[in-house]
Amino acid sequence: MSRLGLDSTTHTYVVILQEKGGARLLPIWIGQPEAESIVMQMNNAKRERPFTHDLCKSLILGLGGTLRRVQITKVQQRTYFAELHLAGPHGAVQIDARPSDSIAIALRLHAPIFVQESLLGTMEVDDDETPGSYATPPATPPSATPNEELNAEQLKAYLENLRPEDFGRFNL
């Protein structure tokens, strides 16, 4: 994963996947709960209770499985599709999943994320922005230190106070 930000035109979160060792990108707009889950994992922040993606990690490991990779497979009618490629005691299995959930789980299990070649492209930047100038969110919410537990209110306040200019502008 390359970046997570807020699209200033739609006011929705967008995760930007960047080709490893390359310049091609894939932006995927995601919901707030998935953005929160991804941000928490990126910052190694702990929660009082596990997120659904933490539960998925526990289930995979508890059943003796491993997440081999996430594969973002296609887009249909502006909806992206992904698969979790799992290996376990009874063989390999592929599970249909949303890309946002798949990314959150892959981050927790340190699994690679692959994207169908045809989905990768380049992004244009507004004229008043410098190419490659997308900012990233602060490494840690101002009210927390890494590995510190955040309650729901603190996390919500952190995400709500992020400004679009903290992330740059996304035009496709």
Side-chain angles (χ1 to χ4, degrees), residues 62-114:
L63 293 169
T66 58
L67 178 60
R68 298 301 222 167
R69 70 178 188 195
V70 164
Q71 179 76 43
I72 306 210
T73 58
K74 62 184 175 181
V75 62
Q76 289 181 331
Q77 299 175 350
R78 299 174 50 153
T79 300
Y80 285 90
F81 291 77
E83 298 171 343
L84 298 171
H85 290 246
L86 301 167
H90 301 290
V93 64
Q94 295 174 7
I95 299 173
D96 180 40
R98 298 184 309 174
S100 55
D101 292 325
S102 300
I103 292 166
I105 295 167
L107 289 173
R108 284 162 171 77
L109 291 168
H110 308 287
I113 300 169
F114 292 90

Side-chain angles (χ1 to χ4, degrees), residues 17-28:
L17 300 177
Q18 183 172 2
E19 177 181 34
K20 188 173 184 176
R24 294 183 300 169
L25 304 169
L26 176 65
I28 302 174

